[in-house]
Each structure stands twice: as C-alpha cells, then as structure tokens.
Amino acid sequence: MDSKNLKSNMSDQALLNSNSQGISSVPSSRSISSEESGDHKPEIVPVYSERKFTRSQLMTVAILCFVNLINYMDRFTVAGILSDVQCFYGIDDSQGGLIQTVFIIAYMVFAPIFGYMGDRYSRRLIMAVGVAFWTVAALVSSFIPQEHFYWFLIMRCLIGIGEASYSTIAPTIISDLFVDDLRSKMLALFYFAIPVGSGLGYIVGTFPKTTLGVEWQWGLRITPVVGTVATLLIIFMLVDPPRGQAEGSKMEATSYAEDLKSLVKNPSYILSTAGSTAVAFVAGALAWWGPKFIALGKAVHLHDNTVDMGQVSFVFGLLAMIAGITGVPLGSFAGQRLRVRFPRADPLVCAFGLFMSTPLMLGVLLMAGVNTDATFVLAFFGQVFLNLNWAIVADILLYVVVPTRRATAAAFQILISHALGDAGSPYFIGQVSEALKPYFNTSSEILVDANGSLGNSSQLISTPMPPLSGNCSNSTLNLDDYVPLQWSLTMCIIVQMLGGLFFLATAVFLVRDKEKADRTVATGSEQNCEEIEALTGGERTPDSDSGLILARDT
C-alpha cells in the first residue's frame, strides 16, 4: 500500500485520540500483513484501546497542583515583604535581589540532577524527600537573627534545592497519565498554580504583619505547615505511572550522553526554551521588584514617603493571582483550539502574548509616578498576556521530546531558563538600580518629569518632597530609589521582544520535531525510527501536520 494514501493519525499531541467525554485512547502497535495491506511492506499502525481516566489519576493531578501552588507561594512570600527583610537585615537593593538569585541558582544547578534521577528512579520518593527538605528549610529561615543575613541566604539555597526535586518531575507524571487535549488541560491546571501561587505568596507574606500585627517572620511560617501536608499526600496518595504509559510506549532509558545529544539536536526544544527564558527573566524581575516600584511611584505621586508597602504588595499579589486565573487557561484554550487548523499555533500564541505584554509593561513604568490605579490596570493586563505562555511551553516540551527523556529535558529547560532568566534578573535589576542612584540622588528632592519620569536630567523638574528617613520602623520609602529602579526595569521590555522572536522561530521547526518524536514513540526506539525514515524517504502524508504514518519491513 502506498503510504501517501493512508489516513494519518489525527492526534495533535501524541499517537492517540481523546474525546469530549473524558476518554483517552492508548495506542499499541500491530503489524498488518501483506495480505491485509495489499502490499509487500507490512505497516505499523496504532491500535487504540479506550479507557476512562480514574479517580486516582485525578487525585494525583490535584496533589501535584497543590504542591505547585505552595511551591510558588513560598517562592514569592519574601517578595511581598522585601522592604521589611531589607530593613531587618540592613541590606540594599543589590543584596535584596541576591535573596532570589541564590535561591534560583541552587534550584537550577540541582534541576539536572533530579531530572536524571526522575527518568530512572521512583519519582514519588524523590518528590516526597524534596518537599520535606524545603519545608524544613523554609521554617528555619524564619528564625535567622538580623546579624546573620548570609545564613538567611543559605536557607534560601536549600529551599531551592528542595523545590528543584519537585518542579522537574511533576510535569512528566502528568504526561504519563494523559495525552492529547486532555494532557493540555491538565497541564494548564498544573501551571495555573504558578501565577496563582505567586499572587498568594504576596498575600500570605504580608497578612500576618498587616492584619495580625505580628513580626514579618510569621509570613514565612505558613507554607511550611501546608508543605508538611503536601509531603504526606505525596507519600500515601500519589500515583507514579510507568514512563510513557499514556502513549503505550515501551521505550527504555538511554544513556545520559545520548539524552543530551538528542535534546541539543531538537530545535523546537532549544528555541522554546530560549523563549521561556525571556518569560522567566521578565516574570522574575517584575515579581521581585514590582510591588516596591509601584509603592515608590505612588509615593512620588502623592508626595508622601510613608506609603504602605504591605498594602501595595497585597493588591499586586491579588491582581497577579487573578491574571493567572485568566491568562493560563486562556493560553491553553487558545492553543488547543487553534492547533486543530494551525499545527504551529502553540509557539505563535506564546509570541503573541509577549508582543502584547510589552507595551503594557512599558505603560506600567511610565504611569507608576502619575496614577497608581492606571498602573495596576496596565500591570494586570500585562501579566494576563505574559501568563499565556506557561502551560503551552510545557506542552511543547512534552510532545517534541520522547517519554524517557522528558524529566531530563524539563530539568535542562529549568537550568537554562533560570540561569539566564529569573536567577539573575532580580539581582541584575537591583545592581543596575544601585549603579544609577548616584546620578539621580537628590537627598530631600526627587526628580520627575511632567509625565512621571523616564526623561534625562536636563528634562527633569525638581519637586520638593518630605524629608527622607532610613528608619525602618516608620516604614518609610527612600524616594530617590524610584527613577533608578524605573530605568533598570526597562531591561524587561527589551527581553520580552527577544522572547517573542524566539517563539516565532520555534514555529518553523515544530511540526517536524513533533512528528519525529511521535515516530520514535510508536516504533520503540530512535534506531527503528531512522530505519522507517530511510524506507519512506522521509515522505509526509498530505495531512501529516496532524499526524503520521509509519512503515518498515519485518
């Protein structure tokens, strides 16, 4: 039979179908004899068996989402109380940014280690130990005295190690439980927890001090409690399925060197990782410095350096949470609907989100010192478009990489995106801000232009301000910090544009790389896949953008 006349598999994510009743089809392969096919070449085609997803699968996803939620809550709790932390330890902006940077460095360095382990050993055990580890470290960090700031940094490093054990592995469990659009929906739910958890982190961090009147350290003691619950859920209720179960894959793990070589030769993986790095850079910088910048802008606008940083953090966190609730499912839904007609839709949706977010974030920088309400509105919509990316980027990784390499691929995506993204962006923005302060330091005056700033010194007008105070107990803001921080945050605008270009480049290679991954899963190994490509001459069926046909001699 001529393979060109065969109808290709219409799965958009893997070799299977799913329907609206929540039933997924798991493929197996069988050979069709020459009598059946009318040709001397047997065909390998997927055979589907239907099964409903089980309660244990849904429980597993719920546990993973819960842990991801508190993971990001803990990560941004410190950002919500950053001014209090700086005052307590007597640190400047560069050291304030270092708190997040050391966390991310530890996180990204250990991610490949846990990725390697996650492709070979018990994922449930690795996650349980990791979550328990960061839970203890988070609790200990709340008791570090003010003369030992570097011990506080060490605790943040240990938290990063614990979180790396979970973040690299959890998406691969989802990929082994579900496929096709059902997998996309579950991933959207999982990554939904990133912006929502981040927003809750601001709220949880500021709640004890602003509402209960206790010390800021109590904000760091909430996530360890729920972290303990998460550890128990992982141990006793989480399902760790066989790798590749959802696709019916019988592939076995290859050597680490082969895994890395394959990933490097996968342009869709490399370019989407570059795009996600840009997203991480912007998200990390804005999440860390956003509340403080808006508070400074409000202080400039009101000519009052006693603006309540806790209140600004609360509103910023609430809006970030709502933006996540809106943006993550919107991006996933757009990708699922559009890829039916446009196979390259996923990276195009990501690029669209970044290009739309760019002018909105620029508006935030321009409006912060003019109108606080307008600034929050612009920040909200900017984050909605930025959040379109989270679930889609993970989905791209899962369908262009074979099951036995997914944890490793996720680990190195974490390593690269954090190393060049949010590991350095808070520290980098803080360092640039500190470097610019001598050029804008006016003691009891702050320089703003008629539109809120972003002008050079010859265009600025001098506006008298209340006396500045470095007394942390009075919760005052140093208004001289506003313009330097504003200029340093413009780096995010440039990075967003670059990220959009990387996602556009991903679209060029996406269909080819997805087809290759599907062939490898269906045939059981890359060697078999290469034999098939040699036999068929690499020909694609007329609608192979949606699927593929496999053929080889037996």
Side-chain angles (χ1 to χ4, degrees):
M1 180 187 296
D2 186 354
S3 64
K4 291 183 178 179
N5 295 325
L6 289 175
K7 180 175 176 59
S8 67
N9 164 43
M10 296 304 294
S11 167
D12 198 41
Q13 300 278 23
L15 290 172
L16 49 100
N17 295 323
S18 64
N19 60 31
S20 58
Q21 281 71 41
I23 297 177
S24 62
S25 302
V26 183
S28 59
S29 295
R30 65 179 176 88
S31 295
I32 302 177
S33 67
S34 58
E35 289 78 16
E36 291 176 281
S37 64
D39 197 352
H40 69 283
K41 292 183 179 179
E43 304 287 334
I44 294 179
V45 298
V47 177
Y48 302 101
S49 60
E50 293 186 345
R51 65 179 177 83
K52 293 182 178 179
F53 56 78
T54 64
R55 181 180 300 177
S56 63
Q57 289 176 311
L58 296 180
M59 177 61 70
T60 295
V61 173
I63 293 171
L64 295 176
C65 291
F66 173 66
V67 179
N68 207 31
L69 184 76
I70 62 176
N71 183 342
Y72 279 86
M73 276 178 57
D74 176 78
R75 191 176 299 188
F76 288 97
T77 296
V78 176
I81 53 175
L82 181 58
S83 292
D84 292 305
V85 175
Q86 287 182 284
C87 288
F88 183 79
Y89 289 108
I91 57 177
D92 59 20
D93 281 353
S94 63
Q95 291 171 303
L98 188 62
I99 296 173
Q100 185 72 345
T101 296
V102 296
F103 164 85
I104 295 296
I105 289 174
Y107 179 77
M108 70 183 189
V109 167
F110 280 84
I113 298 173
F114 289 116
Y116 175 86
M117 296 170 64
D119 279 334
R120 292 161 176 82
Y121 305 110
S122 170
R123 293 179 287 193
R124 179 168 57 185
L125 178 61
I126 294 169
M127 288 193 298
V129 173
V131 172
F133 185 78
W134 74 251
T135 296
V136 173
L139 182 62
V140 172
S141 70
S142 69
F143 294 98
I144 305 297
Q146 62 187 125
E147 64 270 17
H148 295 295
F149 170 65
Y150 287 101
W151 275 106
F152 186 82
L153 292 180
I154 291 172
M155 289 300 108
R156 297 305 298 177
C157 281
L158 297 180
I159 293 171
I161 294 172
E163 291 192 11
S165 69
Y166 168 81
S167 298
T168 56
I169 295 174
T172 68
I173 292 180
I174 294 176
S175 74
D176 290 333
L177 290 172
F178 307 100
V179 288
D180 201 50
D181 284 348
L182 187 56
R183 174 193 287 171
S184 298
K185 291 180 176 68
M186 294 302 174
L187 284 173
L189 185 63
F190 177 77
Y191 285 100
F192 176 84
I194 293 180
V196 174
S198 301
L200 284 174
Y202 294 109
I203 297 171
V204 168
T206 58
F207 176 79
K209 181 180 178 180
T210 57
T211 305
L212 303 178
V214 296
E215 295 298 323
W216 62 266
Q217 286 90 341
W218 283 97
L220 302 179
R221 296 166 187 164
I222 296 176
T223 50
V225 175
V226 289
T228 302
V229 175
T231 303
L232 296 175
L233 289 174
I234 291 172
I235 294 172
F236 295 108
M237 303 191 70
L238 185 109
V239 173
D240 185 2
R243 292 165 182 83
Q245 171 184 279
E247 290 104 333
S249 171
K250 301 299 182 182
M251 294 182 66
E252 295 185 1
T254 53
S255 70
Y256 201 49
E258 288 182 76
D259 291 350
L260 297 182
K261 181 180 178 181
S262 175
L263 294 177
V264 170
K265 294 168 63 176
N266 189 329
S268 294
Y269 170 74
I270 295 296
L271 290 168
S272 62
T273 297
S276 69
T277 299
V279 175
F281 183 98
V282 176
L286 294 177
W288 196 253
W289 294 112
K292 182 174 182 178
F293 174 70
I294 294 175
L296 286 167
K298 183 176 182 180
V300 169
H301 175 58
L302 298 177
H303 291 210
D304 179 9
N305 63 351
T306 60
V307 168
D308 187 352
M309 177 71 181
Q311 183 183 39
V312 172
S313 293
F314 181 87
V315 174
F316 187 88
L318 184 63
L319 290 178
M321 183 171 60
I322 298 173
I325 293 173
T326 306
V328 173
L330 182 62
S332 180
F333 175 78
Q336 291 173 51
R337 292 300 295 265
L338 290 173
R339 71 169 72 108
V340 175
R341 295 185 59 189
F342 307 103
R344 307 176 197 274
D346 281 347
L348 295 180
V349 171
C350 293
F352 173 79
L354 282 173
F355 288 142
M356 289 298 295
S357 178
T358 299
L360 293 168
M361 290 305 181
L362 180 59
V364 170
L365 300 183
L366 293 170
M367 292 298 295
V370 178
N371 187 310
T372 305
D373 292 338
T375 301
F376 277 126
V377 171
L378 290 169
F380 169 75
F381 285 106
Q383 290 182 89
V384 168
F385 284 110
L386 197 63
N387 286 327
L388 296 181
N389 292 270
W390 294 114
I392 297 178
V393 170
D395 214 358
I396 291 173
L397 181 149
L398 294 174
Y399 64 66
V400 300
V401 177
V402 297
T404 54
R405 292 175 180 148
R406 285 172 181 162
T408 298
F412 273 92
Q413 188 171 83
I414 287 174
L415 173 63
I416 295 168
S417 63
H418 289 305
L420 302 177
D422 55 351
S425 63
Y427 182 68
F428 176 70
I429 296 298
Q431 283 283 37
V432 173
S433 176
E434 288 295 323
L436 292 175
K437 283 181 181 179
Y439 300 99
F440 295 101
N441 192 346
T442 57
S443 298
S444 62
E445 296 179 336
I446 186 165
L447 298 177
V448 296
D449 68 12
N451 294 317
S453 69
L454 275 183
N456 59 44
S457 58
S458 63
Q459 297 172 322
L460 298 176
I461 59 174
S462 180
T463 306
M465 301 299 294
L468 301 176
S469 170
N471 189 339
C472 293
S473 62
N474 293 331
S475 300
T476 56
L477 293 166
N478 187 335
L479 300 177
D480 285 345
D481 293 350
Y482 173 68
V483 176
L485 187 55
Q486 182 186 49
W487 275 98
S488 62
L489 285 169
T490 58
M491 302 296 175
C492 295
I493 306 302
I494 299 171
V495 173
Q496 278 184 291
M497 294 299 295
L498 290 174
L501 295 176
F502 282 127
F503 281 120
L504 289 180
T506 303
V508 176
F509 302 96
L510 185 73
V511 171
R512 186 197 71 184
D513 292 337
K514 177 185 176 300
E515 288 181 353
K516 183 176 180 180
D518 285 346
R519 287 190 182 99
T520 304
V521 169
T523 58
S525 72
E526 286 185 330
Q527 182 178 357
N528 291 339
C529 178
E530 290 170 358
E531 291 175 3
I532 289 171
E533 290 178 343
L535 281 171
T536 61
E539 293 182 1
R540 290 162 51 185
T541 61
D543 54 351
S544 62
D545 280 350
S546 303
L548 54 113
I549 287 297
L550 306 175
R552 66 168 179 170
D553 289 323
T554 58

